[in-house]
Amino acid sequence: MAPTIHYYCPCQSGESVQMPPPPHMASSSASFHPLHSLFFCEECDAVRCNRCVSIEVSGYYCPNCLFEVPSASVRAEKNRCARNCFSCPICRSTLQVVASDPPDGGDGRPSVSLSNVGEPPFFLYCNHCRWDSAEVGITFEKPTGLAGTPLPLPISLHLIIYLTAQLQKFEDSAPESLEFERLKEHFEPFLRTSSLSSLSHVPSTSSHHLPTSSATAAASAALARDVPGVGKYNPLTRSRVGRDRTANKDEMPEYKSRMEISILGQLGSEGDGSDVEALRRMEIAEEIASLEQRWGNSWTTSLRTSDLRPLRIPLHSKVSKRCPTCRHILIKPEQKAQSVRYKIKLVAANYLPAMTAALPHTQGADATRRPQAKVPSASDDRNAGAMTAGKSYPFHLALTNPLYDPIQVRLSVQRMHVTAVTDSTAPEKARRTPFAVSLPTSSFPVAAFAEAWEYDDDDEMFGLEDDELGLEMGRTRDKDGKGKVKTVGVLEKRANVTVVGGEVVIGKEARGHVKFNMLVSYTYRSDDPLPSEDGVGTPSRAAVAKTPEVKTFTFYTVVDLGPILPREEKVDPDI
Amino acid sequence: MPPIRDKFTIHSRAVVCQDVELKGDITIGPGTVVHPKATIFAIAGPIIIGSGCIIEEAAIIVNRRKEVMRVGDNNLFEIGCRVECPSVGNFNTISTRARVHHTVRISNYCVIGAACLVVPTDDETLDDYTSIFGPAAERRTWSGRGRIQEADLRLKHAEYLREMLPKFNRLRRGDGA
């Protein structure tokens, strides 16, 4: 398992606490995220993660045809594509509308040349698993009206609408769907009265009944708003003057379902006797639909694979994300469904240095073992992947600077407060100091990021890779100036990447993973000319007389170097 | 191990590019197209490839058994696939990066999906119209609907390649020593 570094987002820790939780606890993994999933708010100067940003939908589109669906149609079409996009019930890939084969001449070769348009009946066909809808009896006749001219597509627009109308009718007439419609009609009057009478009700946040379009939602919100000085208007109570005023609004007449539940059970939607019979009689495992095939449906369907139907492809949405405190937009995608770019993209990778950890002794082991064994044996894994208790290992941290200015980085390990395990069986199992990490304490620079073409003149910037052993004297000499290989300190500087080495000493009785929190603080020259804007969070100003200002940013990370293997007396040599 | 003697019998209407690695006793029928960087190794026994086959780049067809390996007509071996079957029928499609072991015999109109590993331990014959798909190499039987259109498409594919490949690639001419 390769070592990983995750970054800390303080959204889970509450108002006052800014320290990250201890990394060895399983619950703290929720606060640590990989760098590619984090955002950075420039106004607040803070890291934001996917859990704390507020999300707004900016558009809906079909992932297959990339058609942008207006939000009004989304609800009408039940979040699925209204055009020709269906997913195969067997393998969930996209279905294609194809024409039937022309009549066979008998010798295997097509007797007539296949026309562009194809022949009826048309059906849906999966190119991946070769399922076709004729197996479940869904075929379509080509409607008249092509006027004889060959079309560039084999299917006319007429047919597309006809197809989806057919299948939609099929979907809507399902007994579950009719039941759902009946339930909605039953509850609608009660929801309407309760929403109008509640004073501080805003339909956009927590509405029980959604108006059919955003226009009516806005209108009903405006009507329900409290006007000072005017009494609340309630049309329903006005008509019920003679009735009992204390009639509880929560009471409603008994709901009678459309069909008996037992009849529904026979239709296969309940886990009843019919399902047990099917399971008893089944011959091969593929007769029963698997979980992945069934959970895309809106309600439970029968268990048999032969009852699976093609479903319309569900729509995807494009979201824009905002910082929760200052409401600044962090992510704003482009409106077109087919473009993957963003209008605004404030990701943490553009602001924070990217860090990767590596254990050089495993890299050396992998390189020598690669040409030999095809099947890695157990003891190979043990030697290659992990660290043994009772030894000390060097590790490398590579920091990549994304900014166009050079930065000075300072690392520090957070002291881990491990509570002693009050275990009666083994009280000496050292939970006190399982491992000790040493890192360079002084700050070191990382060069600025520059485009590749800037390195044309400077050949020394690129060059030697790290050799397999990984412990090589840095090209830029450190303060030591000694000739021996050192493990702790700056090892290498190359373009905008600096590799520093640290060392971890693992106690004899240590278990679990080597995980420690690390505080990273880096200083850079900012372009901001005026000192008037003061960040809310962590930036501290070391004012250097005038411009350029120097800003410092601090963040926590957790470094996971891998599992610790218990120490063994003897390792069996492998064949 | 006896040295492999190369003996290539390539039909005059087959299109075999120069960059193809051929070894052993290989017969290629008319109309077959072999893309550059394909590999056909008849290590222990001969390979006979029928007509109209399309063998794409990085495809590996290997015969490690002494018996003849017969590949039928109009098959499509997509990029990166590896086929060691003793017999392959007609109109099959072996998709990208699929691997088929030497214990399997493929009939006609089969489809081996992309990246599927068909590696049973015992000898097995795939029936006609078998379709293998998914990461777990699940199987199902194709109903055969649409096979004429697919056959027509395969013919057109091969015809187009026969026309276009020689314009951009050097062709292997003549037999090997």
Side-chain angles (χ1 to χ4, degrees):
Chain A
M1 208 190 76
T4 57
I5 296 190
H6 287 193
Y7 292 65
Y8 173 65
C9 175
C11 58
Q12 300 276 327
S13 64
E15 294 296 323
S16 52
V17 179
Q18 286 295 323
M19 300 278 284
H24 61 277
M25 301 200 300
S27 62
S28 53
S29 64
S31 309
F32 294 106
H33 312 263
L35 181 61
H36 61 83
S37 66
L38 288 174
F39 313 104
F40 189 84
C41 178
E42 268 187 344
E43 312 279 314
C44 315
D45 254 346
V47 167
R48 300 284 176 226
C49 67
N50 264 320
R51 289 167 183 254
C52 49
V53 295
S54 21
I55 293 186
E56 300 159 358
V57 173
S58 79
Y60 297 90
Y61 66 98
C62 168
N64 184 43
C65 56
L66 292 181
F67 178 68
E68 286 149 37
V69 185
S71 8
S73 320
V74 167
R75 197 175 139 67
E77 298 293 334
K78 302 194 176 71
N79 298 353
R80 292 183 186 256
C81 184
R83 300 159 117 228
N84 234 10
C85 311
F86 296 93
S87 71
C88 171
I90 308 291
C91 62
R92 274 108 44 222
S93 62
T94 312
L95 292 175
Q96 192 183 345
V97 186
V98 297
S100 306
D101 281 341
D104 199 2
D107 57 353
R109 286 197 161 253
S111 50
V112 292
S113 66
L114 299 172
S115 67
N116 223 2
V117 179
E119 305 197 356
F122 296 91
F123 52 90
L124 300 167
Y125 173 79
C126 172
N127 217 5
H128 189 223
C129 65
R130 302 295 166 115
W131 177 89
D132 55 77
S133 66
E135 289 186 20
V136 290
I138 299 178
T139 58
F140 309 100
E141 292 301 322
K142 195 173 73 172
T144 55
L146 281 181
T149 52
L151 297 169
L153 298 169
I155 307 294
S156 71
L157 187 59
H158 232 113
L159 179 58
I160 292 171
I161 300 171
Y162 191 68
L163 275 179
T164 44
Q166 275 214 331
L167 270 179
Q168 178 140 6
K169 197 159 49 74
F170 178 74
E171 279 175 16
D172 284 346
S173 61
E176 289 89 356
S177 176
L178 294 171
E179 189 73 37
F180 186 54
E181 294 294 330
R182 228 172 107 91
L183 275 167
K184 277 200 288 194
E185 284 167 19
H186 177 81
F187 284 113
E188 199 187 331
F190 305 98
L191 289 171
R192 215 185 309 129
T193 50
S194 68
S195 73
L196 277 180
S197 59
S198 66
L199 292 173
S200 58
H201 185 79
V202 181
S204 63
T205 52
S206 65
S207 49
H208 305 285
H209 76 289
L210 292 169
T212 46
S213 79
S214 49
T216 47
S220 59
L223 284 173
R225 217 182 356 240
D226 212 9
V227 179
V230 179
K232 196 75 188 133
Y233 174 70
N234 200 334
L236 292 162
T237 54
R238 209 161 61 100
S239 59
R240 275 196 258 131
V241 166
R243 295 240 198 127
D244 191 4
R245 289 294 179 93
T246 60
N248 200 350
K249 274 195 278 285
D250 292 335
E251 274 180 18
M252 53 183 74
E254 184 102 353
Y255 172 73
K256 283 188 84 64
S257 75
R258 232 178 111 254
M259 311 168 132
E260 292 297 319
I261 300 295
S262 55
I263 299 178
L264 272 179
Q266 283 170 23
L267 290 173
S269 56
E270 300 288 316
D272 264 2
S274 59
D275 279 344
V276 177
E277 283 305 312
L279 283 167
R280 282 211 188 104
R281 275 185 268 121
M282 96 178 166
E283 286 164 32
I284 51 174
E286 278 79 24
E287 276 182 36
I288 301 294
S290 75
L291 189 60
E292 283 98 1
Q293 290 167 339
R294 274 185 293 130
W295 68 9
N297 291 329
S298 304
W299 25 70
T300 53
T301 50
S302 106
L303 282 182
R304 283 186 290 274
T305 313
S306 50
D307 288 342
L308 289 174
R309 296 286 174 268
L311 290 177
R312 293 187 287 159
I313 287 189
L315 301 172
H316 288 193
S317 59
K318 280 198 165 194
V319 294
S320 56
K321 302 183 180 173
R322 281 182 190 265
C323 175
T325 48
C326 65
R327 308 284 300 155
H328 198 220
I329 294 187
L330 301 173
I331 297 286
K332 186 166 172 144
E334 284 191 6
Q335 204 51 40
K336 291 170 57 150
Q338 55 261 48
S339 89
V340 294
R341 295 186 357 210
Y342 296 93
K343 282 191 194 143
I344 302 177
K345 188 176 154 194
L346 295 175
V347 287
N350 292 346
Y351 294 88
L352 303 183
M355 301 176 31
T356 51
L359 290 167
H361 69 277
T362 63
Q363 288 169 357
D366 280 344
T368 53
R369 281 197 166 78
R370 210 177 294 131
Q372 293 174 13
K374 284 201 187 118
V375 180
S377 55
S379 85
D380 273 356
D381 279 346
R382 234 178 277 144
N383 292 339
M387 296 163 282
T388 323
K391 292 196 184 171
S392 76
Y393 294 92
F395 62 90
H396 290 184
L397 289 175
L399 288 96
T400 310
N401 179 14
L403 307 174
Y404 286 99
D405 299 309
I407 57 176
Q408 290 278 120
V409 184
R410 182 187 298 268
L411 306 171
S412 67
V413 182
Q414 188 190 30
R415 282 292 121 217
M416 207 171 72
H417 306 289
V418 189
T419 57
V421 171
T422 56
D423 201 12
S424 59
T425 54
E428 296 104 34
K429 278 268 159 68
R431 303 292 278 169
R432 279 171 286 167
T433 50
F435 55 83
V437 181
S438 57
L439 280 174
T441 48
S442 59
S443 72
F444 52 90
V446 186
F449 170 69
E451 306 292 336
W453 45 264
E454 287 192 13
Y455 291 119
D456 274 344
D457 306 325
D458 218 359
D459 286 332
E460 286 169 11
M461 288 282 197
F462 289 88
L464 315 169
E465 303 283 327
D466 258 353
D467 63 64
E468 302 302 338
L469 297 173
L471 300 174
E472 144 190 278
M473 189 63 176
R475 263 191 292 283
T476 62
R477 281 180 164 261
D478 209 345
K479 281 181 277 218
D480 286 0
K482 291 203 185 118
K484 71 169 165 74
V485 172
K486 64 175 177 16
T487 54
V488 179
V490 178
L491 294 179
E492 191 197 333
K493 280 190 208 147
R494 191 184 36 179
N496 64 333
V497 179
T498 301
V499 184
V500 295
E503 198 167 3
V504 56
V505 181
I506 306 181
K508 289 194 177 55
E509 301 294 335
R511 294 282 182 275
H513 279 233
V514 180
K515 271 194 199 173
F516 57 92
N517 287 346
M518 190 166 69
L519 176 71
V520 181
S521 84
Y522 65 98
T523 318
Y524 61 98
R525 293 186 189 290
S526 81
D527 298 329
D528 304 321
L530 299 167
S532 56
E533 56 109 31
D534 226 13
V536 182
T538 48
S540 61
R541 298 197 165 256
V544 183
K546 299 163 192 53
T547 58
E549 302 284 340
V550 176
K551 272 174 75 171
T552 304
F553 188 71
T554 310
F555 59 95
Y556 283 96
T557 60
V558 63
V559 183
D560 179 4
L561 290 176
I564 301 176
L565 290 170
R567 201 165 54 149
E568 290 177 4
E569 291 303 312
K570 205 172 65 156
V571 177
D572 282 357
D574 249 283
I575 306 152
Chain B
M1 206 181 100
I4 303 172
R5 254 178 315 166
D6 293 344
K7 179 169 163 294
F8 310 139
T9 313
I10 303 179
H11 197 276
S12 58
R13 273 190 293 126
V15 172
V16 180
C17 298
Q18 196 164 50
D19 247 342
V20 177
E21 278 195 42
L22 300 173
K23 244 193 228 178
D25 183 356
I26 299 176
T27 308
I28 298 186
T32 296
V33 178
V34 186
H35 286 228
K37 306 271 191 253
T39 307
I40 307 181
F41 278 1
I43 301 180
I47 296 181
I48 299 180
I49 300 182
S51 65
C53 286
I54 303 171
I55 303 170
E56 294 190 350
E57 284 84 350
I60 302 177
I61 301 179
V62 161
N63 185 15
R64 282 195 288 213
R65 304 167 128 208
K66 287 213 184 52
E67 298 86 18
V68 177
M69 173 176 177
R70 283 180 205 277
V71 177
D73 304 333
N74 299 301
N75 297 300
L76 171 61
F77 296 91
E78 288 193 6
I79 293 176
C81 70
R82 189 187 167 99
V83 175
E84 297 178 31
C85 323
S87 87
V88 180
N90 306 324
F91 283 106
N92 298 301
T93 305
I94 297 164
S95 306
T96 313
R97 290 236 190 184
R99 290 187 61 127
V100 193
H101 231 44
H102 60 84
T103 47
V104 182
R105 286 168 190 271
I106 305 181
S107 326
N108 307 311
Y109 290 98
C110 290
V111 180
I112 318 271
C116 289
L117 298 170
V118 189
V119 286
T121 41
D122 307 319
D123 274 356
E124 192 181 346
T125 306
L126 293 181
D127 294 330
D128 284 1
Y129 299 106
T130 306
S131 158
I132 300 183
F133 62 97
E138 305 150 32
R139 298 184 187 192
R140 62 179 309 277
T141 310
W142 179 18
S143 65
R145 266 180 279 261
R147 65 183 178 280
I148 299 183
Q149 293 174 74
E150 192 170 314
D152 190 56
L153 177 64
R154 184 71 48 85
L155 295 172
K156 288 203 181 115
H157 186 187
E159 195 181 308
Y160 179 81
L161 285 175
R162 279 198 293 273
E163 193 188 306
M164 281 300 180
L165 266 181
K167 292 190 190 169
F168 299 98
N169 294 283
R170 293 208 194 94
L171 296 184
R172 176 191 282 266
R173 298 256 174 246
D175 292 4

